[in-house]
Amino acid sequence: MPSETAFAEMTALLPARPHPEAEEVENDTVAWADRAQLPMDKAKFERLRGSRIGHGVANCSPDLPRELVSLWARFTFWYTAFDDVCAEDVAARDLSTYIREAGQIWRILHDETPPEPPRSKFAAALQPLLAELDNSASATTANRLRHALRDYLMAAAWEANSRSSNVPPHYDDYLSFYRHSGTFVLNIEFLETTPGAALSDEARRLPHTRAMRAALCDMGCLVNFISSGPKEKELNTSWPTAFTADIGAVYTARCLDLARTVAELRDTYAVDPEVGGFFMAGADWAAGMVRWHQESLAHRYSLGPGNLGAP
């Protein structure tokens, strides 16, 4: 099945709803990015800046208040920049440089008040975002997001090591780590900041909640695999381009199955008092993500070489 047909069917199953303040969130995000002074070369920064991250994130969470969705858009810009510069460009050339950079971030994730400012510009930009998260979300959600960020750092190191060896990993291994290195687990944790979407520990353990979270994660992975093919080919990356070439049709069919699962779970549990809010927020996230990946320049053009400067 061609990906265009699959995207059309996914859009029908999961219609996107625009956030009423999406443009304002986009303006907030761009203004923050201009101030953040992330260590990126100009071409990379401008292309990322032009991918309308704020607009895309807002339309993935149409019921999230502007203050929270703007915070999440800034997080998304931050980790997209970090991933492009560190986890792909820098780590592929020198994994030890990535480890030093990730260590600075790991430090502020564990120590909310370090004795001295972080030396890493990426860590310095993340620190106030974490403080704002602690003030805006419940302690449980904030801790879960910190944990998901630590998992992201580990998974990104695994992916970078695999890229540097230039040997495509087994599909199941890659998908398992990409749930984290692609930040899909991180995004799904943030869904619980949507009004009415917070899950208790008991609700998170329910089989249908686990099924919904897994379907959202894997759908995010596969939509990204499909839509980022042009970027990977332009970068001449041996993988996941190899996956796209060999099993692209399998990706597409599996992604459509996952969209059907998300829609079915949404319809079944929409009014469930324990999980209904999360299931509705999850379906909105999946719908917005499909639309965003169809439109985003970030997945159609390479972003140029990374530049961390001197370690």
Side-chain angles (χ1 to χ4, degrees):
M1 175 185 293
S3 59
E4 294 83 0
T5 304
F7 272 117
E9 189 165 344
M10 284 189 280
T11 300
L13 286 165
L14 299 166
R17 295 191 295 122
H19 192 286
E21 296 181 279
E23 286 303 323
E24 289 82 356
V25 174
E26 172 63 20
N27 293 336
D28 293 344
T29 307
V30 168
W32 173 84
D34 288 341
R35 295 191 305 270
Q37 297 184 329
L38 298 173
M40 309 171 73
D41 66 54
K42 185 176 181 180
K44 176 185 282 287
F45 176 78
E46 289 300 328
R47 289 177 180 175
L48 186 57
R49 189 179 185 274
S51 64
R52 292 177 60 76
I53 283 175
H55 189 271
V57 169
N59 287 332
C60 286
S61 296
D63 295 325
L64 201 61
R66 175 178 170 181
E67 313 82 64
L68 278 171
V69 80
S70 288
L71 173 61
W72 193 237
R74 282 177 271 143
F75 263 105
T76 303
F77 197 106
W78 178 90
Y79 67 64
T80 303
F82 179 82
D83 192 69
D84 284 331
V85 172
C86 299
E88 291 187 8
D89 296 338
V90 171
R93 299 193 304 269
D94 178 8
L95 190 56
S96 65
T97 301
Y98 167 78
I99 296 299
R100 286 195 298 271
E101 191 78 13
Q104 290 282 300
I105 294 166
W106 188 277
R107 176 181 158 217
I108 65 167
L109 287 170
H110 279 278
D111 187 354
E112 296 177 11
T113 56
E116 59 185 48
R119 294 181 298 278
S120 159
K121 290 184 178 180
F122 275 111
L126 178 62
Q127 197 167 24
L129 297 182
L130 290 172
E132 191 173 345
L133 173 66
D134 291 338
N135 290 328
S136 302
S138 70
T140 298
T141 298
N143 286 334
R144 287 171 176 170
L145 283 160
R146 285 173 179 269
H147 183 82
L149 273 166
R150 290 193 289 269
D151 285 346
Y152 159 74
L153 292 172
M154 182 182 74
W158 177 90
E159 181 173 336
N161 183 66
S162 297
R163 282 182 182 271
S164 65
S165 68
N166 212 31
V167 177
H170 189 279
Y171 168 75
D172 290 337
D173 292 338
Y174 183 56
L175 183 60
S176 177
F177 276 92
Y178 194 64
R179 292 176 184 127
H180 299 279
S181 67
T183 68
F184 300 106
V185 172
L186 194 60
N187 275 274
I188 289 163
E189 293 291 4
F190 202 84
L191 288 177
E192 293 193 43
T193 62
T194 305
L199 295 170
S200 67
D201 288 341
E202 293 75 17
R204 285 166 70 97
R205 296 189 188 104
L206 293 170
H208 44 277
T209 305
R210 292 166 66 93
M212 182 60 139
R213 286 172 60 90
L216 290 170
C217 253
D218 288 356
M219 186 178 169
C221 291
L222 294 175
V223 167
N224 191 66
F225 287 171
I226 294 165
S227 63
S228 65
K231 174 188 170 183
E232 297 291 343
K233 289 177 182 177
E234 185 182 341
L235 291 173
N236 195 29
T237 308
S238 65
W239 64 284
T241 308
F243 293 145
T244 306
D246 295 340
I247 58 172
V250 175
Y251 276 0
T252 304
R254 175 63 179 146
C255 195
L256 186 52
D257 284 343
L258 289 166
R260 292 175 181 135
T261 297
V262 169
E264 181 180 353
L265 287 168
R266 173 201 61 197
D267 295 343
T268 302
Y269 294 99
V271 297
D272 186 293
E274 276 194 294
V275 301
F278 176 81
F279 279 40
M280 293 299 291
D284 282 335
W285 177 81
M289 179 192 58
V290 168
R291 180 175 179 179
W292 186 13
H293 276 263
Q294 284 179 290
E295 297 173 349
S296 177
L297 290 173
H299 296 279
R300 285 165 173 78
Y301 299 97
S302 67
L303 299 181
N307 178 23
L308 282 177

mmCIF file of all heavy atoms in Angstrom, residues 177-212:
data_model
loop_
_atom_site.group_PDB
_atom_site.id
_atom_site.type_symbol
_atom_site.label_atom_id
_atom_site.label_comp_id
_atom_site.label_asym_id
_atom_site.label_seq_id
_atom_site.Cartn_x
_atom_site.Cartn_y
_atom_site.Cartn_z
ATOM 1 N N PHE A 177 14.473 0.436 21.020
ATOM 2 C CA PHE A 177 15.221 1.609 21.464
ATOM 3 C C PHE A 177 14.643 2.895 20.873
ATOM 4 O O PHE A 177 14.674 3.943 21.516
ATOM 5 C CB PHE A 177 16.698 1.472 21.088
ATOM 6 C CG PHE A 177 17.490 0.680 22.085
ATOM 7 C CD1 PHE A 177 17.653 -0.684 21.925
ATOM 8 C CD2 PHE A 177 18.039 1.291 23.198
ATOM 9 C CE1 PHE A 177 18.367 -1.424 22.854
ATOM 10 C CE2 PHE A 177 18.766 0.566 24.135
ATOM 11 C CZ PHE A 177 18.927 -0.808 23.963
ATOM 12 N N TYR A 178 14.108 2.811 19.648
ATOM 13 C CA TYR A 178 13.620 4.029 19.002
ATOM 14 C C TYR A 178 12.387 4.588 19.694
ATOM 15 O O TYR A 178 12.104 5.783 19.604
ATOM 16 C CB TYR A 178 13.334 3.759 17.523
ATOM 17 C CG TYR A 178 13.143 5.029 16.732
ATOM 18 C CD1 TYR A 178 14.192 5.945 16.586
ATOM 19 C CD2 TYR A 178 11.930 5.330 16.139
ATOM 20 C CE1 TYR A 178 14.021 7.123 15.877
ATOM 21 C CE2 TYR A 178 11.753 6.500 15.424
ATOM 22 C CZ TYR A 178 12.794 7.388 15.301
ATOM 23 O OH TYR A 178 12.621 8.546 14.596
ATOM 24 N N ARG A 179 11.646 3.751 20.406
ATOM 25 C CA ARG A 179 10.539 4.272 21.205
ATOM 26 C C ARG A 179 11.035 5.350 22.166
ATOM 27 O O ARG A 179 10.301 6.290 22.479
ATOM 28 C CB ARG A 179 9.883 3.136 21.983
ATOM 29 C CG ARG A 179 9.149 2.122 21.129
ATOM 30 C CD ARG A 179 8.611 0.973 21.974
ATOM 31 N NE ARG A 179 7.988 -0.031 21.138
ATOM 32 C CZ ARG A 179 8.278 -1.332 21.156
ATOM 33 N NH1 ARG A 179 9.199 -1.783 21.986
ATOM 34 N NH2 ARG A 179 7.666 -2.168 20.349
ATOM 35 N N HIS A 180 12.274 5.194 22.603
ATOM 36 C CA HIS A 180 12.869 6.153 23.536
ATOM 37 C C HIS A 180 13.722 7.194 22.815
ATOM 38 O O HIS A 180 13.577 8.395 23.059
ATOM 39 C CB HIS A 180 13.713 5.409 24.578
ATOM 40 C CG HIS A 180 12.921 4.451 25.404
ATOM 41 N ND1 HIS A 180 12.176 4.848 26.490
ATOM 42 C CD2 HIS A 180 12.735 3.107 25.275
ATOM 43 C CE1 HIS A 180 11.566 3.804 27.021
ATOM 44 N NE2 HIS A 180 11.894 2.732 26.310
ATOM 45 N N SER A 181 14.602 6.756 21.908
ATOM 46 C CA SER A 181 15.471 7.724 21.222
ATOM 47 C C SER A 181 14.667 8.635 20.301
ATOM 48 O O SER A 181 15.084 9.763 20.029
ATOM 49 C CB SER A 181 16.570 7.006 20.431
ATOM 50 O OG SER A 181 16.029 6.277 19.350
ATOM 51 N N GLY A 182 13.523 8.178 19.833
ATOM 52 C CA GLY A 182 12.637 9.026 19.037
ATOM 53 C C GLY A 182 11.726 9.897 19.872
ATOM 54 O O GLY A 182 10.913 10.656 19.328
ATOM 55 N N THR A 183 11.820 9.772 21.204
ATOM 56 C CA THR A 183 11.099 10.571 22.208
ATOM 57 C C THR A 183 9.598 10.293 22.237
ATOM 58 O O THR A 183 8.840 11.102 22.766
ATOM 59 C CB THR A 183 11.333 12.094 22.032
ATOM 60 O OG1 THR A 183 10.725 12.545 20.827
ATOM 61 C CG2 THR A 183 12.811 12.427 22.057
ATOM 62 N N PHE A 184 9.169 9.146 21.720
ATOM 63 C CA PHE A 184 7.730 8.865 21.723
ATOM 64 C C PHE A 184 7.235 8.538 23.127
ATOM 65 O O PHE A 184 6.135 8.956 23.516
ATOM 66 C CB PHE A 184 7.414 7.755 20.717
ATOM 67 C CG PHE A 184 7.807 8.149 19.326
ATOM 68 C CD1 PHE A 184 8.921 7.603 18.714
ATOM 69 C CD2 PHE A 184 7.102 9.134 18.646
ATOM 70 C CE1 PHE A 184 9.314 8.004 17.446
ATOM 71 C CE2 PHE A 184 7.491 9.551 17.381
ATOM 72 C CZ PHE A 184 8.597 8.980 16.784
ATOM 73 N N VAL A 185 8.023 7.801 23.921
ATOM 74 C CA VAL A 185 7.648 7.570 25.313
ATOM 75 C C VAL A 185 7.540 8.899 26.048
ATOM 76 O O VAL A 185 6.600 9.137 26.820
ATOM 77 C CB VAL A 185 8.666 6.641 26.001
ATOM 78 C CG1 VAL A 185 8.391 6.564 27.501
ATOM 79 C CG2 VAL A 185 8.616 5.242 25.378
ATOM 80 N N LEU A 186 8.482 9.788 25.796
ATOM 81 C CA LEU A 186 8.489 11.110 26.424
ATOM 82 C C LEU A 186 7.205 11.870 26.084
ATOM 83 O O LEU A 186 6.555 12.463 26.963
ATOM 84 C CB LEU A 186 9.715 11.871 25.928
ATOM 85 C CG LEU A 186 10.152 13.138 26.641
ATOM 86 C CD1 LEU A 186 10.485 12.863 28.103
ATOM 87 C CD2 LEU A 186 11.361 13.736 25.930
ATOM 88 N N ASN A 187 6.815 11.857 24.826
ATOM 89 C CA ASN A 187 5.593 12.547 24.417
ATOM 90 C C ASN A 187 4.358 11.960 25.083
ATOM 91 O O ASN A 187 3.451 12.695 25.499
ATOM 92 C CB ASN A 187 5.444 12.472 22.899
ATOM 93 C CG ASN A 187 6.193 13.568 22.185
ATOM 94 O OD1 ASN A 187 5.690 14.668 22.007
ATOM 95 N ND2 ASN A 187 7.423 13.275 21.779
ATOM 96 N N ILE A 188 4.308 10.646 25.187
ATOM 97 C CA ILE A 188 3.125 10.002 25.761
ATOM 98 C C ILE A 188 3.025 10.292 27.256
ATOM 99 O O ILE A 188 1.925 10.444 27.803
ATOM 100 C CB ILE A 188 3.146 8.497 25.435
ATOM 101 C CG1 ILE A 188 2.865 8.327 23.932
ATOM 102 C CG2 ILE A 188 2.114 7.727 26.246
ATOM 103 C CD1 ILE A 188 3.234 6.988 23.373
ATOM 104 N N GLU A 189 4.179 10.411 27.922
ATOM 105 C CA GLU A 189 4.139 10.818 29.328
ATOM 106 C C GLU A 189 3.557 12.226 29.459
ATOM 107 O O GLU A 189 2.781 12.505 30.372
ATOM 108 C CB GLU A 189 5.548 10.779 29.935
ATOM 109 C CG GLU A 189 6.154 9.393 30.069
ATOM 110 C CD GLU A 189 5.474 8.532 31.111
ATOM 111 O OE1 GLU A 189 4.463 8.950 31.714
ATOM 112 O OE2 GLU A 189 5.947 7.404 31.326
ATOM 113 N N PHE A 190 3.922 13.119 28.553
ATOM 114 C CA PHE A 190 3.457 14.507 28.658
ATOM 115 C C PHE A 190 1.956 14.619 28.411
ATOM 116 O O PHE A 190 1.323 15.580 28.858
ATOM 117 C CB PHE A 190 4.217 15.412 27.691
ATOM 118 C CG PHE A 190 4.172 16.857 28.103
ATOM 119 C CD1 PHE A 190 5.066 17.357 29.038
ATOM 120 C CD2 PHE A 190 3.228 17.726 27.576
ATOM 121 C CE1 PHE A 190 5.023 18.687 29.440
ATOM 122 C CE2 PHE A 190 3.174 19.058 27.961
ATOM 123 C CZ PHE A 190 4.067 19.542 28.902
ATOM 124 N N LEU A 191 1.371 13.645 27.721
ATOM 125 C CA LEU A 191 -0.073 13.682 27.479
ATOM 126 C C LEU A 191 -0.861 13.787 28.781
ATOM 127 O O LEU A 191 -1.972 14.319 28.801
ATOM 128 C CB LEU A 191 -0.519 12.429 26.720
ATOM 129 C CG LEU A 191 -0.129 12.319 25.255
ATOM 130 C CD1 LEU A 191 -0.585 10.980 24.693
ATOM 131 C CD2 LEU A 191 -0.727 13.460 24.444
ATOM 132 N N GLU A 192 -0.283 13.281 29.870
ATOM 133 C CA GLU A 192 -1.021 13.268 31.127
ATOM 134 C C GLU A 192 -1.146 14.655 31.754
ATOM 135 O O GLU A 192 -1.834 14.820 32.763
ATOM 136 C CB GLU A 192 -0.386 12.281 32.104
ATOM 137 C CG GLU A 192 -0.520 10.838 31.643
ATOM 138 C CD GLU A 192 -0.183 9.837 32.733
ATOM 139 O OE1 GLU A 192 -0.616 10.045 33.891
ATOM 140 O OE2 GLU A 192 0.516 8.846 32.429
ATOM 141 N N THR A 193 -0.499 15.659 31.169
ATOM 142 C CA THR A 193 -0.728 17.035 31.631
ATOM 143 C C THR A 193 -2.014 17.616 31.042
ATOM 144 O O THR A 193 -2.461 18.683 31.463
ATOM 145 C CB THR A 193 0.451 17.956 31.265
ATOM 146 O OG1 THR A 193 0.586 18.020 29.834
ATOM 147 C CG2 THR A 193 1.757 17.443 31.876
ATOM 148 N N THR A 194 -2.612 16.935 30.057
ATOM 149 C CA THR A 194 -3.895 17.377 29.491
ATOM 150 C C THR A 194 -4.975 17.286 30.563
ATOM 151 O O THR A 194 -5.047 16.279 31.284
ATOM 152 C CB THR A 194 -4.285 16.481 28.295
ATOM 153 O OG1 THR A 194 -3.225 16.480 27.339
ATOM 154 C CG2 THR A 194 -5.567 16.985 27.632
ATOM 155 N N PRO A 195 -5.819 18.294 30.705
ATOM 156 C CA PRO A 195 -6.880 18.225 31.718
ATOM 157 C C PRO A 195 -7.704 16.945 31.590
ATOM 158 O O PRO A 195 -8.210 16.611 30.521
ATOM 159 C CB PRO A 195 -7.724 19.469 31.420
ATOM 160 C CG PRO A 195 -6.753 20.436 30.810
ATOM 161 C CD PRO A 195 -5.817 19.588 29.993
ATOM 162 N N GLY A 196 -7.823 16.207 32.692
ATOM 163 C CA GLY A 196 -8.613 14.984 32.716
ATOM 164 C C GLY A 196 -7.891 13.748 32.200
ATOM 165 O O GLY A 196 -8.486 12.668 32.144
ATOM 166 N N ALA A 197 -6.613 13.870 31.835
ATOM 167 C CA ALA A 197 -5.907 12.738 31.223
ATOM 168 C C ALA A 197 -4.908 12.052 32.148
ATOM 169 O O ALA A 197 -4.292 11.063 31.747
ATOM 170 C CB ALA A 197 -5.179 13.199 29.961
ATOM 171 N N ALA A 198 -4.747 12.533 33.370
ATOM 172 C CA ALA A 198 -3.768 11.919 34.275
ATOM 173 C C ALA A 198 -4.220 10.513 34.655
ATOM 174 O O ALA A 198 -5.406 10.264 34.895
ATOM 175 C CB ALA A 198 -3.597 12.774 35.520
ATOM 176 N N LEU A 199 -3.265 9.596 34.690
ATOM 177 C CA LEU A 199 -3.539 8.202 35.024
ATOM 178 C C LEU A 199 -2.966 7.878 36.402
ATOM 179 O O LEU A 199 -1.842 8.260 36.722
ATOM 180 C CB LEU A 199 -2.906 7.267 33.997
ATOM 181 C CG LEU A 199 -3.434 7.331 32.562
ATOM 182 C CD1 LEU A 199 -2.525 6.526 31.630
ATOM 183 C CD2 LEU A 199 -4.864 6.805 32.488
ATOM 184 N N SER A 200 -3.733 7.145 37.178
ATOM 185 C CA SER A 200 -3.193 6.614 38.421
ATOM 186 C C SER A 200 -2.241 5.463 38.102
ATOM 187 O O SER A 200 -2.236 4.920 36.988
ATOM 188 C CB SER A 200 -4.327 6.096 39.309
ATOM 189 O OG SER A 200 -4.937 4.956 38.697
ATOM 190 N N ASP A 201 -1.430 5.080 39.094
ATOM 191 C CA ASP A 201 -0.543 3.940 38.882
ATOM 192 C C ASP A 201 -1.344 2.692 38.521
ATOM 193 O O ASP A 201 -0.930 1.889 37.670
ATOM 194 C CB ASP A 201 0.288 3.675 40.136
ATOM 195 C CG ASP A 201 1.366 4.724 40.361
ATOM 196 O OD1 ASP A 201 1.714 5.426 39.385
ATOM 197 O OD2 ASP A 201 1.840 4.844 41.498
ATOM 198 N N GLU A 202 -2.498 2.514 39.169
ATOM 199 C CA GLU A 202 -3.326 1.345 38.884
ATOM 200 C C GLU A 202 -3.864 1.393 37.462
ATOM 201 O O GLU A 202 -3.889 0.370 36.757
ATOM 202 C CB GLU A 202 -4.491 1.268 39.885
ATOM 203 C CG GLU A 202 -4.090 0.980 41.319
ATOM 204 C CD GLU A 202 -3.458 2.189 42.020
ATOM 205 O OE1 GLU A 202 -3.628 3.325 41.516
ATOM 206 O OE2 GLU A 202 -2.791 1.993 43.051
ATOM 207 N N ALA A 203 -4.299 2.579 37.000
ATOM 208 C CA ALA A 203 -4.841 2.695 35.645
ATOM 209 C C ALA A 203 -3.770 2.439 34.590
ATOM 210 O O ALA A 203 -4.057 1.884 33.523
ATOM 211 C CB ALA A 203 -5.458 4.077 35.447
ATOM 212 N N ARG A 204 -2.529 2.834 34.872
ATOM 213 C CA ARG A 204 -1.439 2.596 33.921
ATOM 214 C C ARG A 204 -1.165 1.107 33.740
ATOM 215 O O ARG A 204 -0.643 0.691 32.707
ATOM 216 C CB ARG A 204 -0.164 3.304 34.390
ATOM 217 C CG ARG A 204 -0.200 4.817 34.184
ATOM 218 C CD ARG A 204 0.901 5.497 34.969
ATOM 219 N NE ARG A 204 2.222 5.240 34.433
ATOM 220 C CZ ARG A 204 2.885 6.057 33.601
ATOM 221 N NH1 ARG A 204 2.318 7.181 33.200
ATOM 222 N NH2 ARG A 204 4.090 5.757 33.188
ATOM 223 N N ARG A 205 -1.505 0.303 34.757
ATOM 224 C CA ARG A 205 -1.233 -1.138 34.681
ATOM 225 C C ARG A 205 -2.343 -1.917 33.970
ATOM 226 O O ARG A 205 -2.169 -3.108 33.689
ATOM 227 C CB ARG A 205 -1.056 -1.702 36.093
ATOM 228 C CG ARG A 205 0.142 -1.150 36.847
ATOM 229 C CD ARG A 205 0.376 -1.930 38.143
ATOM 230 N NE ARG A 205 1.395 -1.299 38.954
ATOM 231 C CZ ARG A 205 1.158 -0.574 40.034
ATOM 232 N NH1 ARG A 205 -0.098 -0.355 40.426
ATOM 233 N NH2 ARG A 205 2.152 -0.037 40.719
ATOM 234 N N LEU A 206 -3.467 -1.278 33.701
ATOM 235 C CA LEU A 206 -4.577 -1.982 33.050
ATOM 236 C C LEU A 206 -4.165 -2.449 31.655
ATOM 237 O O LEU A 206 -3.460 -1.731 30.937
ATOM 238 C CB LEU A 206 -5.792 -1.063 32.949
ATOM 239 C CG LEU A 206 -6.452 -0.670 34.281
ATOM 240 C CD1 LEU A 206 -7.485 0.431 34.057
ATOM 241 C CD2 LEU A 206 -7.101 -1.887 34.930
ATOM 242 N N PRO A 207 -4.613 -3.638 31.240
ATOM 243 C CA PRO A 207 -4.206 -4.157 29.920
ATOM 244 C C PRO A 207 -4.552 -3.219 28.770
ATOM 245 O O PRO A 207 -3.750 -3.054 27.838
ATOM 246 C CB PRO A 207 -4.976 -5.486 29.813
ATOM 247 C CG PRO A 207 -5.239 -5.900 31.219
ATOM 248 C CD PRO A 207 -5.431 -4.622 31.991
ATOM 249 N N HIS A 208 -5.722 -2.581 28.817
ATOM 250 C CA HIS A 208 -6.091 -1.705 27.702
ATOM 251 C C HIS A 208 -5.283 -0.409 27.720
ATOM 252 O O HIS A 208 -5.015 0.167 26.657
ATOM 253 C CB HIS A 208 -7.601 -1.413 27.680
ATOM 254 C CG HIS A 208 -8.203 -1.089 29.001
ATOM 255 N ND1 HIS A 208 -8.593 -2.048 29.897
ATOM 256 C CD2 HIS A 208 -8.505 0.105 29.580
ATOM 257 C CE1 HIS A 208 -9.122 -1.473 30.965
ATOM 258 N NE2 HIS A 208 -9.070 -0.162 30.803
ATOM 259 N N THR A 209 -4.858 0.056 28.907
ATOM 260 C CA THR A 209 -3.984 1.226 28.947
ATOM 261 C C THR A 209 -2.611 0.882 28.380
ATOM 262 O O THR A 209 -2.031 1.652 27.596
ATOM 263 C CB THR A 209 -3.829 1.743 30.388
ATOM 264 O OG1 THR A 209 -5.116 2.005 30.941
ATOM 265 C CG2 THR A 209 -2.999 3.024 30.413
ATOM 266 N N ARG A 210 -2.089 -0.258 28.758
ATOM 267 C CA ARG A 210 -0.806 -0.698 28.228
ATOM 268 C C ARG A 210 -0.879 -0.851 26.713
ATOM 269 O O ARG A 210 0.055 -0.491 25.986
ATOM 270 C CB ARG A 210 -0.382 -2.007 28.891
ATOM 271 C CG ARG A 210 -0.055 -1.843 30.368
ATOM 272 C CD ARG A 210 0.026 -3.199 31.084
ATOM 273 N NE ARG A 210 1.145 -3.986 30.582
ATOM 274 C CZ ARG A 210 2.351 -3.983 31.120
ATOM 275 N NH1 ARG A 210 2.611 -3.198 32.163
ATOM 276 N NH2 ARG A 210 3.303 -4.733 30.631
ATOM 277 N N ALA A 211 -2.014 -1.380 26.235
ATOM 278 C CA ALA A 211 -2.182 -1.554 24.784
ATOM 279 C C ALA A 211 -2.222 -0.209 24.072
ATOM 280 O O ALA A 211 -1.633 -0.038 22.989
ATOM 281 C CB ALA A 211 -3.453 -2.349 24.502
ATOM 282 N N MET A 212 -2.895 0.777 24.676
ATOM 283 C CA MET A 212 -2.983 2.099 24.054
ATOM 284 C C MET A 212 -1.616 2.768 24.029
ATOM 285 O O MET A 212 -1.193 3.314 22.997
ATOM 286 C CB MET A 212 -3.985 2.970 24.818
ATOM 287 C CG MET A 212 -4.183 4.370 24.225
ATOM 288 S SD MET A 212 -4.810 4.325 22.509
ATOM 289 C CE MET A 212 -6.012 5.658 22.539
#
